[in-house]
Tab-separated table of all heavy atoms in Angstrom:
chain	number	residue	atom	x	y	z
A	1	GLY	N	12.059	12.132	12.640
A	1	GLY	CA	12.788	13.073	13.476
A	1	GLY	C	12.967	12.622	14.907
A	1	GLY	O	13.711	13.249	15.675
A	2	ASP	N	12.328	11.515	15.289
A	2	ASP	CA	12.416	11.029	16.667
A	2	ASP	C	13.627	10.117	16.895
A	2	ASP	O	13.846	9.681	18.028
A	2	ASP	CB	11.149	10.244	17.038
A	2	ASP	CG	9.903	11.108	17.024
A	2	ASP	OD1	10.036	12.337	17.196
A	2	ASP	OD2	8.804	10.557	16.835
A	3	TYR	N	14.396	9.838	15.840
A	3	TYR	CA	15.440	8.816	15.947
A	3	TYR	C	16.826	9.384	15.647
A	3	TYR	O	16.995	10.278	14.825
A	3	TYR	CB	15.130	7.663	14.991
A	3	TYR	CG	13.849	6.965	15.362
A	3	TYR	CD1	12.636	7.350	14.794
A	3	TYR	CD2	13.841	5.965	16.330
A	3	TYR	CE1	11.448	6.748	15.164
A	3	TYR	CE2	12.653	5.352	16.708
A	3	TYR	CZ	11.473	5.748	16.129
A	3	TYR	OH	10.296	5.151	16.508
A	4	ASP	N	17.814	8.801	16.361
A	4	ASP	CA	19.207	9.136	16.080
A	4	ASP	C	19.686	8.427	14.820
A	4	ASP	O	20.435	8.995	14.028
A	4	ASP	CB	20.107	8.700	17.251
A	4	ASP	CG	19.727	9.361	18.551
A	4	ASP	OD1	19.714	10.607	18.587
A	4	ASP	OD2	19.429	8.646	19.524
A	5	LEU	N	19.259	7.166	14.667
A	5	LEU	CA	19.734	6.363	13.548
A	5	LEU	C	18.592	5.555	12.963
A	5	LEU	O	17.733	5.049	13.690
A	5	LEU	CB	20.840	5.406	13.991
A	5	LEU	CG	21.418	4.588	12.826
A	5	LEU	CD1	22.904	4.768	12.696
A	5	LEU	CD2	21.038	3.125	12.957
A	6	VAL	N	18.601	5.426	11.613
A	6	VAL	CA	17.578	4.671	10.901
A	6	VAL	C	18.259	3.620	10.035
A	6	VAL	O	19.211	3.923	9.311
A	6	VAL	CB	16.713	5.597	10.022
A	6	VAL	CG1	15.693	4.791	9.226
A	6	VAL	CG2	16.015	6.658	10.881
A	7	LEU	N	17.770	2.385	10.118
A	7	LEU	CA	18.180	1.307	9.214
A	7	LEU	C	17.197	1.284	8.059
A	7	LEU	O	16.003	1.013	8.253
A	7	LEU	CB	18.160	-0.036	9.938
A	7	LEU	CG	19.254	-0.289	10.980
A	7	LEU	CD1	18.884	-1.482	11.845
A	7	LEU	CD2	20.582	-0.545	10.286
A	8	ALA	N	17.657	1.578	6.840
A	8	ALA	CA	16.750	1.686	5.700
A	8	ALA	C	17.535	1.548	4.409
A	8	ALA	O	18.775	1.587	4.397
A	8	ALA	CB	16.007	3.024	5.737
A	9	GLN	N	16.802	1.418	3.312
A	9	GLN	CA	17.416	1.339	1.987
A	9	GLN	C	16.668	2.248	1.024
A	9	GLN	O	15.551	2.685	1.290
A	9	GLN	CB	17.361	-0.098	1.466
A	9	GLN	CG	15.947	-0.583	1.181
A	9	GLN	CD	15.894	-1.915	0.465
A	9	GLN	OE1	16.843	-2.321	-0.196
A	9	GLN	NE2	14.778	-2.629	0.599
A	10	GLY	N	17.309	2.508	-0.120
A	10	GLY	CA	16.653	3.208	-1.211
A	10	GLY	C	16.027	4.524	-0.814
A	10	GLY	O	16.608	5.341	-0.098
A	11	ARG	N	14.807	4.733	-1.282
A	11	ARG	CA	14.098	5.984	-1.024
A	11	ARG	C	13.896	6.218	0.462
A	11	ARG	O	13.989	7.356	0.941
A	11	ARG	CB	12.754	5.953	-1.746
A	11	ARG	CG	11.955	7.227	-1.617
A	11	ARG	CD	10.568	7.036	-2.203
A	11	ARG	NE	9.781	8.244	-2.011
A	11	ARG	CZ	9.673	9.235	-2.900
A	11	ARG	NH1	10.304	9.142	-4.049
A	11	ARG	NH2	8.950	10.298	-2.650
A	12	SER	N	13.631	5.147	1.224
A	12	SER	CA	13.429	5.312	2.663
A	12	SER	C	14.677	5.869	3.334
A	12	SER	O	14.589	6.692	4.255
A	12	SER	CB	13.045	3.971	3.300
A	12	SER	OG	11.813	3.509	2.800
A	13	ALA	N	15.845	5.411	2.880
A	13	ALA	CA	17.097	5.935	3.430
A	13	ALA	C	17.245	7.419	3.121
A	13	ALA	O	17.680	8.208	3.975
A	13	ALA	CB	18.282	5.147	2.872
A	14	ILE	N	16.875	7.806	1.916
A	14	ILE	CA	16.973	9.216	1.526
A	14	ILE	C	16.043	10.073	2.381
A	14	ILE	O	16.403	11.162	2.836
A	14	ILE	CB	16.662	9.378	0.029
A	14	ILE	CG1	17.690	8.612	-0.812
A	14	ILE	CG2	16.676	10.859	-0.361
A	14	ILE	CD1	17.322	8.516	-2.281
A	15	GLU	N	14.834	9.580	2.599
A	15	GLU	CA	13.877	10.315	3.435
A	15	GLU	C	14.441	10.517	4.843
A	15	GLU	O	14.338	11.616	5.413
A	15	GLU	CB	12.562	9.554	3.501
A	15	GLU	CG	11.798	9.534	2.193
A	15	GLU	CD	10.626	8.572	2.192
A	15	GLU	OE1	10.496	7.774	3.150
A	15	GLU	OE2	9.833	8.613	1.226
A	16	ALA	N	15.050	9.467	5.399
A	16	ALA	CA	15.589	9.564	6.754
A	16	ALA	C	16.750	10.550	6.817
A	16	ALA	O	16.850	11.336	7.769
A	16	ALA	CB	16.033	8.186	7.242
A	17	MET	N	17.629	10.526	5.822
A	17	MET	CA	18.757	11.475	5.810
A	17	MET	C	18.259	12.900	5.616
A	17	MET	O	18.783	13.834	6.228
A	17	MET	CB	19.752	11.083	4.715
A	17	MET	CG	20.592	9.866	5.070
A	17	MET	SD	21.773	9.401	3.792
A	17	MET	CE	20.705	8.514	2.664
A	18	ALA	N	17.265	13.071	4.749
A	18	ALA	CA	16.702	14.412	4.564
A	18	ALA	C	16.117	14.945	5.865
A	18	ALA	O	16.179	16.149	6.146
A	18	ALA	CB	15.631	14.387	3.480
A	19	ALA	N	15.565	14.036	6.678
A	19	ALA	CA	15.001	14.434	7.975
A	19	ALA	C	16.064	14.695	9.029
A	19	ALA	O	15.743	15.178	10.115
A	19	ALA	CB	14.041	13.364	8.472
A	20	GLY	N	17.327	14.367	8.720
A	20	GLY	CA	18.423	14.676	9.624
A	20	GLY	C	18.955	13.513	10.420
A	20	GLY	O	19.911	13.674	11.188
A	21	ALA	N	18.354	12.335	10.264
A	21	ALA	CA	18.826	11.175	11.022
A	21	ALA	C	20.086	10.591	10.404
A	21	ALA	O	20.323	10.715	9.203
A	21	ALA	CB	17.734	10.104	11.081
A	22	SER	N	20.881	9.929	11.218
A	22	SER	CA	21.972	9.112	10.710
A	22	SER	C	21.364	7.850	10.116
A	22	SER	O	20.334	7.360	10.586
A	22	SER	CB	22.939	8.764	11.844
A	22	SER	OG	24.035	8.013	11.367
A	23	VAL	N	21.995	7.307	9.066
A	23	VAL	CA	21.429	6.153	8.375
A	23	VAL	C	22.498	5.094	8.156
A	23	VAL	O	23.622	5.389	7.756
A	23	VAL	CB	20.828	6.565	7.006
A	23	VAL	CG1	20.531	5.337	6.139
A	23	VAL	CG2	19.554	7.372	7.216
A	24	MET	N	22.117	3.845	8.435
A	24	MET	CA	22.889	2.679	8.009
A	24	MET	C	22.019	1.913	7.029
A	24	MET	O	20.829	1.709	7.258
A	24	MET	CB	23.248	1.782	9.192
A	24	MET	CG	24.003	0.525	8.769
A	24	MET	SD	24.398	-0.559	10.177
A	24	MET	CE	24.663	-2.107	9.281
A	25	ILE	N	22.597	1.507	5.905
A	25	ILE	CA	21.823	0.834	4.872
A	25	ILE	C	21.506	-0.589	5.297
A	25	ILE	O	22.363	-1.319	5.779
A	25	ILE	CB	22.599	0.836	3.539
A	25	ILE	CG1	22.814	2.278	3.065
A	25	ILE	CG2	21.830	0.048	2.475
A	25	ILE	CD1	23.758	2.395	1.899
A	26	GLY	N	20.241	-0.971	5.118
A	26	GLY	CA	19.831	-2.326	5.419
A	26	GLY	C	18.611	-2.694	4.626
A	26	GLY	O	17.761	-1.852	4.326
A	27	SER	N	18.522	-3.955	4.229
A	27	SER	CA	17.343	-4.454	3.545
A	27	SER	C	16.974	-5.778	4.178
A	27	SER	O	17.542	-6.182	5.198
A	27	SER	CB	17.632	-4.646	2.049
A	27	SER	OG	18.431	-5.797	1.836
A	28	SER	N	16.063	-6.498	3.549
A	28	SER	CA	15.686	-7.806	4.064
A	28	SER	C	16.655	-8.889	3.604
A	28	SER	O	16.491	-10.051	3.962
A	28	SER	CB	14.270	-8.160	3.601
A	28	SER	OG	14.194	-8.125	2.189
A	29	ARG	N	17.671	-8.519	2.821
A	29	ARG	CA	18.618	-9.496	2.304
A	29	ARG	C	20.018	-9.332	2.865
A	29	ARG	O	20.722	-10.301	3.115
A	29	ARG	CB	18.686	-9.405	0.779
A	29	ARG	CG	17.441	-9.827	0.068
A	29	ARG	CD	17.631	-9.720	-1.437
A	29	ARG	NE	17.960	-8.347	-1.834
A	29	ARG	CZ	17.062	-7.428	-2.143
A	29	ARG	NH1	15.779	-7.725	-2.080
A	29	ARG	NH2	17.420	-6.218	-2.509
A	30	ALA	N	20.470	-8.097	3.003
A	30	ALA	CA	21.853	-7.840	3.409
A	30	ALA	C	21.947	-6.429	3.963
A	30	ALA	O	21.044	-5.616	3.797
A	30	ALA	CB	22.814	-8.025	2.234
A	31	PHE	N	23.073	-6.152	4.620
A	31	PHE	CA	23.326	-4.822	5.159
A	31	PHE	C	24.316	-4.072	4.278
A	31	PHE	O	25.084	-4.660	3.509
A	31	PHE	CB	23.905	-4.923	6.572
A	31	PHE	CG	22.924	-5.371	7.609
A	31	PHE	CD1	23.309	-6.276	8.588
A	31	PHE	CD2	21.627	-4.910	7.631
A	31	PHE	CE1	22.423	-6.699	9.565
A	31	PHE	CE2	20.725	-5.318	8.595
A	31	PHE	CZ	21.126	-6.218	9.571
A	32	GLY	N	24.299	-2.759	4.436
A	32	GLY	CA	25.291	-1.903	3.812
A	32	GLY	C	25.924	-1.043	4.879
A	32	GLY	O	25.628	-1.175	6.071
A	33	PRO	N	26.786	-0.110	4.482
A	33	PRO	CA	27.539	0.664	5.464
A	33	PRO	C	26.739	1.780	6.109
A	33	PRO	O	25.658	2.168	5.645
A	33	PRO	CB	28.677	1.248	4.617
A	33	PRO	CG	28.087	1.362	3.247
A	33	PRO	CD	27.178	0.176	3.092
A	34	LEU	N	27.286	2.300	7.190
A	34	LEU	CA	26.825	3.553	7.759
A	34	LEU	C	27.130	4.659	6.754
A	34	LEU	O	28.231	4.728	6.192
A	34	LEU	CB	27.556	3.826	9.071
A	34	LEU	CG	27.203	5.111	9.819
A	34	LEU	CD1	25.805	5.024	10.406
A	34	LEU	CD2	28.235	5.375	10.923
A	35	VAL	N	26.154	5.515	6.479
A	35	VAL	CA	26.361	6.598	5.519
A	35	VAL	C	27.132	7.720	6.204
A	35	VAL	O	26.726	8.220	7.257
A	35	VAL	CB	25.027	7.113	4.964
A	35	VAL	CG1	25.278	8.181	3.902
A	35	VAL	CG2	24.200	5.967	4.381
A	36	ARG	N	28.247	8.096	5.581
A	36	ARG	CA	29.148	9.102	6.144
A	36	ARG	C	29.451	10.162	5.079
A	36	ARG	O	29.197	9.944	3.887
A	36	ARG	CB	30.455	8.450	6.604
A	36	ARG	CG	30.295	7.272	7.550
A	36	ARG	CD	31.677	6.711	7.933
A	36	ARG	NE	32.470	6.417	6.753
A	36	ARG	CZ	32.472	5.241	6.112
A	36	ARG	NH1	31.696	4.254	6.538
A	36	ARG	NH2	33.222	5.056	5.040
A	37	PRO	N	30.034	11.273	5.464
A	37	PRO	CA	30.371	12.287	4.461
A	37	PRO	C	31.313	11.779	3.376
A	37	PRO	O	31.249	12.248	2.234
A	37	PRO	CB	31.034	13.395	5.299
A	37	PRO	CG	30.419	13.251	6.653
A	37	PRO	CD	30.235	11.778	6.854
């Protein structure tokens, strides 16, 4: 809840979105898009 945006993947990304943060997908291999409606 302390962050505007979180770089995460998979379950971690879901946790961040559930907490209300904006999320851009990222892993240790490649990036994904900013999650939008």
Side-chain angles (χ1 to χ4, degrees):
D2 296 335
Y3 296 92
D4 300 303
L5 183 123
V6 177
L7 288 165
Q9 67 171 337
R11 183 188 177 93
S12 296
I14 298 170
E15 291 169 351
M17 285 180 280
S22 182
V23 167
M24 178 181 160
I25 297 170
S27 75
S28 57
R29 293 181 301 271
F31 289 139
L34 180 70
V35 184
R36 307 180 307 270

